[in-house]
Amino acid sequence: MGKKVKTGSQDPPKDVFDPLLIESKTPATVVLMLSSPENEILAKACDALYKFASKDDGNKLVLLGLGALEHLHKLLSHEDPLIRRNAVMVFGIMASNNDVKKVLRELDVTNSLISQLAPEEDVVIHEFATLCLAYMATEYTTKVKIFEQGGLEPLIRLLGSPDPDVKKNSLECIYLLVQDFQNRAAVRELNVIPPLLGLLESEYPVIQLLALQTLELISKDRETRILLGENNGLDCLLNILENNELSDLHIETLAVLGNCFEDVTTLQQIQLTGGLKKIVSFLEASTVPDIQKNAAKAITKAACDSEIRKILHWGEVEKFLLSLLETNNDEVKVAASQAISAMCENLDSKCVLGLQGIPQLVQLLSSDNEELKEAVVTALANLTTGSPKNASVVAEAEGIEPLMNTLNAQRDGAISNAIAVLINLSLQEPSRVSIQNCGIMRALVGPLRSTNSQVQSKAAFAVAAFGCDADARAELRDVGGLELLVALLQSKNEEVRRNACWAVTVCGSDEPTAVELCRLGALDILEEINLSTNRKNKFSEAALEKLLDNNLCQKYSLMGYLSSSNIITNGFYDCGQVKHGEKFLSLEELSKQELTDRRAIIFINAKPQEKFWIFVIKRKDVSYLPPLPMYNFFFFFYVRKGKGKKEEEKPKEVTPVTTPVEEEINIENSQWVPPPDFILMDYINDASKIILPLTTTREQVVALAQFVADKMGGPIEREELHNFWWELDMSKIEFGLKSNIVPIGKIKRGSFYHRALLFKVLADRNGIGCTLVRGMYNRAWNEVKLVERSPKGLLLPPQEYVVDVMFEPGRLLKQGSAKADQYKYI
C-alpha cells in the first residue's frame, strides 16, 4: 500500500526557489552580493559593508582592494531609495581614507553625489553625500568639479536643513570650496551670507565655528563685507564678542572683524555704532594670546589705508598696541610691533607711538627671538623716518648700542632695518657722533659683505650717511670697507649700485680715500657704468666726478675739462686725452718710459724738492753750489747731457755728493720724486706782483693773459700760426731732458694747450676763477665769468668769456659768439 496523502494540501510551484538564509563571514562574499539583482540582498549587503567599514580604517582598504567602490558607484543611481541610501552611507564613511578618495576621483563620483542632494531625497542621503563631498573637497580638482557641476547651490540650500549633521557637512564643504577665490564670488551671488549668519545662533559650537571660519574667508572680498553690513552681520559679530559664554568663538569673530577693518565704509559703520570702542575695550581686557595676536594682525592689514588709519587713531588703538608690548608672549609682541609699523604712516599715531612706545621697543632689541628683533627694528625704522623727535627718543632710550648689536643678527630684515634706524639717527649731530664712536664703519663691514641686496643697499647708504666725517672715512679704509664698496658698484641691483655710487661720492671728498678708491678700480667701474645707457644715472656721474675732482690729472685726461673749483696743484700733469678703457698711468710710471716721438707730458711742480742731498753742479769748468733758498733743506735738479740751442742753456752735469750718513743709500732704489720747476716758481711770483694790485677781475684776467703769452712766445698772427713751430722746440726740450716729461717752465714757445694750462695754473694761484677746456687738434682754452654793471649801476648776471692768450692776448671773447668759436675751433 502506498502512503496516504492528505487531501486538500497543495504542493509549492516547481519554478520557485525556496528562501535561503546565508551567514557570510568574509567581506569578499558580501562584495559579490553587490552584483545581485535582488533589492533586499543589495540593501543588506550595503548595510553590512557600512558597518564593516565603520569599524577600522584598515577595513576600508580591504573593501577598496575587493573592488567594492565600483559596484557601489553603480548603486548610487538605483531606483530603490533604500539601496541608494545605504550605498551613499558606505561612500561617506569610506571617503575619509586618502586611497579611497583617489579612486573616487578616478570614478568621477561628484556628479552622482551632487544628484543625491535634491530636496526630495532622504535626510540620511543628504548627510552622507555631503560628508563624502566634504572629504573630497580638500583636493583642488574636486573643488573645480563641484563648482562646474553646480554643487554650490544645493550645498547652500542644505545650510537650512533641519538635520545638524547635514548643516555641518554642507558648511564644511563650502568652507573648503571658498578657500579658492573664484568660488567666493559664486557663493556671494548665491546669497550665502544670511544662512551663514543664521548658523551663528546654532546650538552646536562646531557649526558656529565653521560658519565664522567661512565668513572670515569670504569677507576678504569688499563686496562680501558690504553685504555683511547690509544683513546686520556686524551686529551679530559684536554680540558674540560681548557674550562671555561664547569665548571659544572670539578668535574667529575677531578675524572676521579684522577683514571688515580693511574697508573704510564698513569701519566707519562700526565706529558710528560705537562698535570700534567696544572692540578696543574688549581687546584691552583680553588676556588670550591668540586673540591679542589676531587683533594686532587685523590692525596691521587694515592700516594699509590712510582713512582707516585715521579712524583707528580716533579709536585710540595705539593704547592697545602699546599694552601688547608688555605681554609675555613673543608672537603677540611680534604682531604688535608689525601693527605699530603700519600705524606709523599716520603722523598723529607716529607721535603717540614714538613717545610712549620707543623705550619699550628698545628694550625688546635685546631679545633672543630673531623674529621679534626683526619686527622691533622695523617698527623703530618706521617711527624714526622723517621724525627727528622720535630719533632723539631712541638716542635718549640708549638705543644706539643695541642697534649696533643688531647688525650681527641672523635675519637680513633685522640687519637692514637696524641700519635704517641708525641712518635716521645720523641726521642729528650728537647721535651721529655717538654712533661713530661705537665703530659704525667696522660694524658695516659685515652687511657690506651680505648677499642680500636690501642689506647691501642699506649698508652702502649708511656709509654715505656716516662718511661725511674724516675719522669715519679713515676707519672705513682701515677695516677694508672700501674694497667691499667698490664691489657693490658692479651689483646688478639698481638700488645697490645707486647707493654705492652715493657712498663713493661722499667718501671721495678727501684725497686719501679717493686715491684708494681709484687704486681699487672704482674709477674704471664708474667709467664703464657711465658708458651704459641702462646703468648710468645721476649718482654714478656724481661719483665719477668726485673721484676725478681729487685726481685732476685723470679728470682732465678723460673729460677734457677742469672747472673753476678744480684747483691745479703741484704734481699735476697733462698727458693728453686717454681713451675710455685705456689705463691711466701715474707720473712715476710715465717717467720710466723711454723717450718717444709722442706728445710731451706737461708737468706742474712749483714746490721745491725736499731732499737731504747735496749736489755739486758742474758747468763747463766751474764748480758751484746753487744758492740755498730759505727752506732748511737742500734741492737738486737732475739734467742729463745734451745739446742746447744757446751756450747758456747747455745741459748740466750733476754729480751727487752724499753725506757720510747717507753713503749707504742707493739712489736708484730710492722713491722717485718729481723735480721742481724753478722757472714756474718765478712765474708765480712775477704774476702775483702784476695781478694783485689790480682792482677788477677783468683787469687781472687781461694782465694774466698778456703775461702768459709773453712767457710762451708772444702773440701770434692768425695767418702765421702754421709757421709757429712750437713742436720743434718741444722735441728739443724732450731730447735735452731725455724724458717725455717736460716742466711747463721749460716751454718758451707754447701753443694753445700750453698757454691755457699755464693760465689756469697762475689763475688758480692768484684767486682768479677760470676753467680749462680741451678742444680738438691741440686746442685748449680758458673760460672766465665776469660781472658787468648796467648803466644804472645795477649788477647784471655774470657773463662767460673765452680768454685769448694766442692772437690778441687779453682779449675777452663772449661765449657763444662767432669770434669765440673761431678761437676754439679750427
Side-chain angles (χ1 to χ4, degrees):
M1 280 180 68
K3 194 174 184 180
K4 292 183 180 181
V5 180
K6 293 182 179 179
T7 60
S9 62
Q10 187 176 0
D11 295 331
K14 296 180 179 180
D15 59 345
V16 175
F17 185 79
D18 295 335
L20 178 65
L21 298 177
I22 299 176
E23 183 179 347
S24 176
K25 294 184 178 181
T26 60
T29 304
V30 180
V31 171
L32 291 174
M33 291 180 181
L34 295 177
S35 301
S36 172
E38 298 184 45
N39 291 354
E40 186 178 359
I41 292 177
L42 291 174
K44 290 182 177 181
C46 289
D47 184 58
L49 293 178
Y50 168 74
K51 294 177 180 177
F52 179 72
S54 302
K55 294 179 180 179
D56 183 67
D57 203 53
N59 294 348
K60 299 170 187 174
L61 295 175
V62 172
L63 295 179
L64 177 64
L66 294 173
L69 292 180
E70 290 79 358
H71 296 289
L72 290 168
H73 184 209
K74 296 176 182 179
L75 298 180
L76 290 179
S77 57
H78 200 280
E79 59 182 10
D80 190 321
L82 181 60
I83 295 174
R84 291 202 309 274
R85 187 195 73 175
N86 291 351
V88 171
M89 290 173 63
V90 181
F91 268 123
I93 202 67
M94 289 186 65
S96 62
N97 184 275
N98 291 328
D99 294 330
V100 173
K101 284 191 285 188
K102 182 179 179 181
V103 175
L104 290 176
R105 285 193 295 270
E106 294 173 356
L107 293 173
D108 195 15
V109 300
T110 52
N111 196 31
S112 300
L113 290 170
I114 291 171
S115 65
Q116 305 303 316
L117 303 181
E120 62 272 11
E121 292 292 349
D122 187 76
V123 173
V124 178
I125 292 180
H126 289 167
E127 176 186 348
F128 285 93
T130 53
L131 178 63
C132 186
L133 288 172
Y135 279 133
M136 295 181 64
T138 56
E139 203 270 333
Y140 177 73
T141 55
T142 303
K143 295 179 184 180
V144 174
K145 288 182 179 180
I146 293 174
F147 174 75
E148 293 177 347
Q149 294 168 3
L152 282 174
E153 190 276 331
L155 286 170
I156 293 174
R157 174 171 42 78
L158 289 176
L159 293 179
S161 171
D163 187 272
D165 290 322
V166 176
K167 290 181 180 179
K168 183 260 182 187
N169 295 338
S170 302
L171 184 54
E172 185 173 3
C173 189
I174 293 172
Y175 167 72
L176 293 170
L177 290 171
V178 296
Q179 290 179 6
D180 297 314
F181 70 92
Q182 66 267 24
N183 290 326
R184 296 174 193 165
V187 297
R188 183 175 63 247
E189 294 297 327
L190 293 170
N191 200 24
V192 74
I193 297 296
L196 285 176
L197 293 176
L199 293 177
L200 294 179
E201 299 177 2
S202 173
E203 59 180 314
Y204 298 97
V206 65
I207 293 178
Q208 292 176 308
L209 184 62
L210 277 171
L212 286 170
Q213 290 173 340
T214 306
L215 283 171
E216 179 189 358
L217 289 174
I218 64 176
S219 62
K220 292 179 179 179
D221 297 336
R222 184 175 181 274
E223 294 81 1
T224 303
R225 294 195 290 266
I226 294 174
L227 290 174
L228 196 60
E230 293 175 353
N231 287 273
N232 299 321
L234 299 176
D235 293 335
C236 294
L237 296 171
L238 291 173
N239 290 336
I240 293 176
L241 285 183
E242 293 175 344
N243 190 343
N244 293 330
E245 294 180 0
L246 299 177
S247 58
D248 54 332
L249 302 177
H250 286 171
I251 295 175
E252 287 72 21
T253 303
L254 283 171
V256 181
L257 288 171
N259 291 336
C260 296
F261 281 8
E262 298 180 36
D263 184 66
V264 177
T265 305
T266 308
L267 188 57
Q268 286 176 340
Q269 185 179 351
I270 296 174
Q271 184 196 21
L272 293 174
T273 58
L276 186 57
K277 288 188 176 181
K278 291 180 182 179
I279 295 172
V280 174
S281 299
F282 168 78
L283 294 175
E284 290 177 346
S286 176
T287 57
V288 180
D290 285 341
I291 290 178
Q292 295 171 326
K293 178 180 67 177
N294 292 339
K297 288 183 177 180
I299 293 171
T300 303
K301 290 193 297 182
C304 295
D305 187 274
S306 58
E307 291 299 320
I308 292 177
R309 288 195 294 270
K310 288 182 183 178
I311 298 172
L312 292 175
H313 171 65
W314 295 335
E316 298 182 342
V317 76
E318 296 90 352
K319 292 182 180 179
F320 165 65
L321 295 177
L322 293 175
S323 67
L324 295 185
L325 295 177
E326 299 176 356
T327 63
N328 295 324
N329 188 291
D330 284 350
E331 291 184 358
V332 174
K333 292 177 183 177
V334 169
S337 300
Q338 292 170 344
I340 289 173
S341 297
M343 287 298 296
C344 283
E345 295 296 324
N346 181 278
L347 294 180
D348 294 330
S349 296
K350 178 182 283 191
C351 182
V352 173
L353 292 168
L355 190 61
Q356 302 177 28
I358 286 178
Q360 294 175 268
L361 291 170
V362 168
Q363 291 179 358
L364 294 177
L365 285 175
S366 58
S367 172
D368 295 331
N369 187 316
E370 291 293 327
E371 184 182 7
L372 175 58
K373 192 179 296 184
E374 180 179 6
V376 167
V377 290
T378 304
L380 287 172
N382 291 332
L383 284 168
T384 55
T385 300
S387 177
K389 185 176 181 181
N390 284 348
S392 299
V393 176
V394 173
E396 292 169 3
E398 300 181 353
I400 292 177
E401 185 176 350
L403 283 169
M404 294 286 291
N405 295 334
T406 308
L407 298 183
N408 299 318
Q410 298 176 4
R411 287 177 169 244
D412 291 331
I415 298 173
S416 62
N417 282 296
I419 296 173
V421 180
L422 292 171
I423 293 172
N424 293 337
L425 266 62
S426 71
L427 299 176
Q428 298 178 341
E429 181 68 21
S431 297
R432 185 172 69 250
V433 173
S434 299
I435 295 171
Q436 289 170 352
N437 291 338
C438 292
I440 180 63
M441 290 302 187
R442 183 178 299 277
L444 287 174
V445 170
L448 287 172
R449 285 199 181 101
S450 173
T451 56
N452 182 279
S453 59
Q454 184 68 19
V455 175
Q456 292 174 339
S457 175
K458 292 293 184 182
F461 195 88
V463 171
F466 294 99
C468 56
D469 182 78
D471 293 337
R473 293 193 294 270
E475 182 183 357
L476 187 65
R477 293 196 303 270
D478 294 340
V479 298
L482 292 180
E483 184 175 358
L484 301 172
L485 191 62
V486 171
L488 294 183
L489 292 174
Q490 297 176 299
S491 172
K492 295 181 180 179
N493 185 284
E494 183 179 358
E495 184 181 353
V496 173
R497 285 200 312 272
R498 183 176 66 245
N499 288 345
C501 288
W502 181 235
V504 169
T505 304
V506 174
C507 292
S509 58
D510 63 16
E511 187 174 352
T513 309
V515 170
E516 181 66 12
L517 285 168
C518 293
R519 186 188 70 79
L520 293 169
L523 205 56
D524 298 332
I525 296 172
L526 288 169
E527 284 183 57
E528 181 185 352
I529 290 174
N530 288 324
L531 288 174
S532 170
T533 56
N534 295 328
R535 294 186 295 162
K536 177 182 177 181
N537 54 53
K538 296 295 183 182
F539 291 91
S540 63
E541 292 176 347
L544 179 61
E545 186 173 354
K546 177 61 72 173
L547 288 184
L548 292 175
D549 283 345
N550 284 283
N551 195 343
L552 295 184
C553 307
Q554 194 162 356
K555 179 177 182 178
Y556 188 53
S557 179
L558 289 173
M559 305 180 71
Y561 177 81
L562 294 181
S563 68
S564 57
S565 61
N566 296 142
I567 306 301
I568 294 179
T569 58
N570 296 320
F572 178 88
Y573 59 97
D574 177 15
C575 60
Q577 187 173 5
V578 175
K579 296 180 181 179
H580 287 287
E582 185 178 342
K583 183 182 178 182
F584 183 81
L585 300 178
S586 66
L587 189 62
E588 184 174 359
E589 291 172 323
L590 292 170
S591 69
K592 297 177 181 178
Q593 293 180 344
E594 296 293 330
L595 183 63
T596 66
D597 58 354
R598 295 180 182 176
R599 180 185 186 280
I601 299 159
I602 312 303
F603 176 59
I604 307 296
N605 187 20
K607 180 181 179 181
Q609 186 168 7
E610 301 177 6
K611 275 285 186 179
F612 295 93
W613 298 73
I614 303 175
F615 290 89
V616 176
I617 303 178
K618 294 181 179 179
R619 179 177 173 183
K620 289 186 178 180
D621 56 348
V622 181
S623 299
Y624 68 96
L625 284 175
L628 297 178
M630 57 183 175
Y631 305 108
N632 294 326
F633 39 76
F634 301 97
F635 306 86
F636 79 96
F637 188 45
Y638 185 87
V639 184
R640 301 178 186 271
K641 287 184 179 180
K643 293 182 178 180
K645 184 178 179 181
K646 298 180 180 179
E647 185 67 24
E648 62 270 22
E649 293 180 357
K650 285 187 177 180
K652 304 163 188 177
E653 180 181 342
V654 180
T655 304
V657 178
T658 63
T659 62
V661 178
E662 296 167 328
E663 224 169 45
E664 301 297 326
I665 297 179
N666 188 338
I667 299 177
E668 292 182 1
N669 295 332
S670 61
Q671 185 179 1
W672 184 85
V673 179
D677 188 344
F678 294 107
I679 299 175
L680 178 60
M681 295 182 203
D682 293 337
Y683 285 174
I684 294 172
N685 292 331
D686 295 342
S688 299
K689 293 176 182 178
I690 296 172
I691 292 171
L692 294 180
L694 301 177
T695 57
T696 66
T697 305
R698 176 183 287 272
E699 292 175 344
Q700 291 177 338
V701 170
V702 171
L704 183 58
Q706 294 170 348
F707 179 86
V708 169
D710 181 61
K711 299 301 180 183
M712 289 277 184
I716 310 297
E717 293 293 334
R718 188 180 298 275
E719 294 76 12
E720 297 296 323
L721 185 62
H722 62 282
N723 293 324
F724 187 63
W725 300 107
W726 61 271
E727 295 96 336
L728 180 60
D729 277 24
M730 289 298 300
S731 298
K732 290 180 179 179
I733 295 171
E734 290 182 78
F735 183 77
L737 297 175
K738 296 295 186 293
S739 172
N740 299 312
I741 301 174
V742 176
I744 197 169
K746 281 278 187 180
I747 302 173
K748 302 304 178 184
R749 292 171 64 85
S751 183
F752 288 89
Y753 74 91
H754 303 116
R755 298 186 184 202
L757 176 58
L758 181 59
F759 184 91
K760 170 70 171 169
V761 171
L762 297 177
D764 288 346
R765 300 298 174 106
N766 289 279
I768 300 175
C770 77
T771 66
L772 176 61
V773 186
R774 187 197 308 280
M776 302 292 290
Y777 306 107
N778 290 322
R779 292 279 175 121
W781 60 90
N782 305 104
E783 298 169 351
V784 295
K785 288 185 178 181
L786 301 176
V787 178
E788 304 290 346
R789 285 187 177 273
S790 68
K792 296 182 180 180
L794 300 176
L795 289 177
L796 299 176
Q799 298 291 323
E800 198 170 73
Y801 295 92
V802 175
V803 183
D804 184 349
V805 292
M806 283 292 293
F807 307 122
E808 298 179 36
R811 183 177 57 157
L812 301 178
L813 310 172
K814 194 169 184 178
Q815 184 72 281
S817 65
K819 292 183 178 180
D821 292 342
Q822 188 179 14
Y823 181 83
K824 294 189 290 185
Y825 311 115
I826 293 178

